[in-house]
Amino acid sequence: GGGGGGGLTPSINGGPSTTGLVQIINIIVGTQCGLVNVDAQTALALTTLILNAKLPYSVPVTTTSYTGQGFSTCAAGLFTAVDHMETYFNLVKLIFGTNWPIITSTTVTTADLNQCLSFVTNLQQVISLSGDLGPFISNDEAVILSDPLFLPSYLSVSTVSTLITYINTTISWYEAATYTGVSGIIDGNQLVSRVNALAAALDATANAGFSDMLNAVVNRYRCMYIEVNTPEQSGVCAQVQLELSQDISLTREAFLATLDINNGGDVLKNVTAILYVSDALGYDRTSWFVIAPSTSTGLIPDGHAVNIAGGTHGILTWLIEILPYAAPATITKYIVGGDLYYTVPGQGTLRTPLYPQAIYVSPSPLLAINYF
């Protein structure tokens, strides 16, 4: 995964060098394309909200844990994960400048990913020691690097031109053995400090059992979401998880949504779930999808209803077809969520919200045939 994913383990001991700087730039710019995916977008959005103190949730007073960890543990883990992500943000801003975009758009196109990979490859080539001017970016190389054909939508030509000047100026001073105290360069002391901070954050993330820092953010937020949104009722200890069979699909195709219900408490009766689909702005788009009636595994038929015995788990599965107007022209992000309803003896009908999952929908290729 990008943005602090596996394999990113930079560390600097002592002062920086031109060779070390080039290696770090290669590593960090290489992580940027990893941010162009569903999970990374979720983690980056959450991280940005938290760092700006705008995370939209309220904290209820609860005594029962529905994840086996408790709200306080989940929350502490989330903010630790965000602190780790911030070390990555800080290094990106130092190396590429404060105006360099850390991708947080709600719609990411496949073209962005392809062009991101092209830009990364070009940048890594032009700052290599075997380039036209060694690590310096020549005028000819700058033309290639700034070509709009190879730039993702979130990168402008002016942003790349500013980066080229920034890198060349930094290398000039580093070659003269001056690493700090000069404006307009990557400060060597900060580079050492921020690289080592990121390396320590990556080690801590791995020691906590996460594959990368993005995964840690999403996992800890999901843990908090369940703790906050699961109603507290005596005798009820049901954990639910909604999963999609894929995170990208074409219109006119179908995917599976699976709801795993792990009931550790009393029998749950009249179990049913309602799914809905919304766009990235929160508007209901369920009518743009055909959600077939669910099939069940591990649930006990009871007339026209189904039950889940205590200490067991059941699965509900839906086949969801994507209609053409879900993505008529460009790849579009949708959120699949819903609510689980069930009856507990003596407590009536209860509701548990399902943690939403994202899917990207691409237009299907259309074949036009002309007859003469």
Side-chain angles (χ1 to χ4, degrees), residues 58-82:
S58 58
V59 182
V61 177
T62 62
T63 57
T64 303
S65 171
Y66 295 92
T67 64
Q69 299 169 73
F71 177 84
S72 297
T73 300
C74 297
L78 174 64
F79 286 95
T80 296
V82 168

Side-chain angles (χ1 to χ4, degrees), residues 10 20 45 58 73 107 157 187 191 200 223 241 247 271 333 358:
S58 58
T73 300
T107 300
V157 173
D187 186 273
L191 181 64
C223 176
Q241 181 170 349
D247 58 18
V271 175
K333 179 181 180 180

Side-chain angles (χ1 to χ4, degrees), residues 93-179:
K93 291 176 182 177
L94 176 67
I95 293 177
F96 298 105
T98 55
N99 293 326
W100 187 262
I102 294 178
I103 311 159
T104 56
S105 60
T106 55
T107 300
V108 180
T109 68
T110 52
D112 275 336
L113 176 57
N114 294 332
Q115 289 172 312
C116 179
L117 293 170
S118 296
F119 173 77
V120 166
T121 300
N122 288 338
L123 178 60
Q124 291 173 334
Q125 288 176 347
V126 301
I127 64 171
S128 68
L129 300 181
S130 59
D132 291 354
L133 298 177
F136 291 96
I137 301 173
S138 69
N139 290 335
D140 289 342
E141 290 172 333
V143 170
I144 296 173
L145 198 58
S146 303
D147 190 333
L149 291 176
F150 301 111
L151 294 182
S153 62
Y154 51 83
L155 273 186
S156 66
V157 173
S158 62
T159 299
V160 175
S161 297
T162 300
L163 174 65
I164 292 171
T165 301
Y166 190 45
I167 290 176
N168 280 344
T169 303
T170 298
I171 292 174
S172 294
W173 284 100
Y174 277 30
E175 293 283 272
T178 300
Y179 310 107

Side-chain angles (χ1 to χ4, degrees), residues 237-252:
C237 187
Q239 298 181 34
V240 297
Q241 181 170 349
L242 179 67
E243 294 184 347
L244 305 183
S245 59
Q246 57 206 71
D247 58 18
I248 188 165
S249 184
L250 296 173
T251 57
R252 306 173 191 271

